């Protein structure tokens, strides 16, 4: 790709999580399990996935918009049930998210990439990454995970870890020295 910079090794910690209430950056321990590897074609070996034999991690396509939107809504409703009001969670709807994702996937912002994880052929998680939008970070040097969601029915099986591992590789390939991830304190 003509716009890509040569790969480099990411500095440690590769990811940070932040308590948005105090704005204190905390290191997130990123130590991928040795079993968690994907091949050059993006196929995750699934060793940490239990009964699943194959997880494919690849770049999302516009036709993935509806599946991503469904995961996004289900994940928000499950993850933030104790953080946001029921009314706020109910206002997040699949139709609006599908429109948003179709637009993002059809005409992505420069440097923005969406990865999807498919378990046994069905999309079950996604990760959105880009150069950092944070004004206090250099977007040439710093990438950011803007969203990471796994369908609640598939959580706890290594999909998030596999998506993050692939994101680290994508960031390195794009030439970023550091990557960040913001999380709500109660969602760590």
């Amino acid at each position: 790709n003509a716009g890509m910079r040569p790969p480099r090794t990411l500095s440690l910690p590769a990811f940070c999580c932040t308590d948005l209430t105090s704005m204190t950056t905390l290191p997130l321990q990123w130590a991928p399990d040795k079993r968690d590897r994907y091949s050059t074609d993006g196929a995750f070996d699934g060793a940490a996935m239990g009964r699943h034999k194959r997880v494919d991690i690849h770049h999302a396509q516009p036709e993935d918009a509806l599946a991503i939107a469904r995961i996004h809504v289900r994940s928000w409703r499950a993850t933030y049930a104790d953080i946001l009001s029921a009314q706020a969670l109910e206002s997040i709807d699949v139709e609006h998210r599908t429109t948003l994702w179709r637009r993002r996937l059809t005409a992505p912002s420069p440097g923005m990439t969406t990865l999807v994880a498919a378990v046994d052929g069905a999309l079950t998680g996604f990760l959105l990454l880009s150069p950092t939008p944070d004004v206090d970070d250099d977007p040439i040097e710093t990438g950011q995970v803007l969203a990471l969601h796994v369908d609640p029915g598939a959580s706890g099986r290594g999909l998030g870890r596999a998506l993050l591992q692939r994101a680290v590789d994508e960031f390195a390939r794009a030439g970023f020295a550091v990557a960040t991830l913001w999380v709500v304190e109660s969602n760590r």
Side-chain angles (χ1 to χ4, degrees):
N1 190 339
M4 302 278 284
R5 292 181 298 281
R8 314 184 236 183
T9 303
L10 290 175
S11 66
L12 295 177
F15 283 90
C16 295
C17 62
T18 302
D19 172 354
L20 295 180
T21 57
S22 69
M23 302 301 282
T24 304
T25 302
L26 306 168
L28 176 68
Q29 297 302 315
W30 173 246
D33 188 303
K34 310 187 252 204
R35 300 170 299 168
D36 299 340
R37 299 286 180 262
Y38 59 88
S39 67
T40 55
D41 69 353
F44 184 65
D45 76 3
M49 291 297 295
R51 64 184 173 85
H52 300 295
K53 293 191 168 98
R54 185 167 175 89
V55 175
D56 292 310
I57 298 177
H58 57 272
H59 291 113
Q61 301 301 313
E63 57 269 16
D64 296 327
L66 177 59
I68 292 171
R70 287 178 175 155
I71 294 165
H72 203 173
V73 170
R74 284 193 299 262
S75 174
W76 263 76
R77 288 180 179 167
T79 303
Y80 300 113
D82 295 332
I83 300 169
L84 299 175
S85 71
Q87 182 181 3
L89 291 171
E90 284 304 313
S91 71
I92 302 166
D93 67 83
V94 172
E95 184 179 331
H96 171 67
R97 292 288 164 170
T98 301
T99 301
L100 173 113
W101 281 105
R102 190 168 287 119
R103 188 176 29 235
R104 277 185 181 156
L105 297 172
T106 302
S109 299
M112 188 173 282
T113 300
T114 304
L115 301 171
V116 290
V119 176
D120 300 332
L123 291 189
T124 53
F126 72 90
L127 184 143
L128 177 65
L129 58 94
S130 79
T132 185
D134 296 342
V135 296
D136 58 341
D137 285 326
D138 179 358
I140 302 295
E141 296 289 320
T142 305
Q144 190 170 98
V145 173
L146 300 174
L148 170 59
H149 293 274
V150 173
D151 191 277
S155 66
R157 297 180 185 158
L159 287 172
R161 178 183 302 162
L163 283 161
L164 279 171
Q165 181 178 335
R166 176 69 182 265
V168 168
D169 292 345
E170 294 280 331
F171 284 134
R173 196 173 5 266
F176 291 107
V178 176
T180 58
L181 167 63
W182 290 74
V183 298
V184 177
E185 174 66 25
S186 56
N187 187 31
R188 289 193 356 202

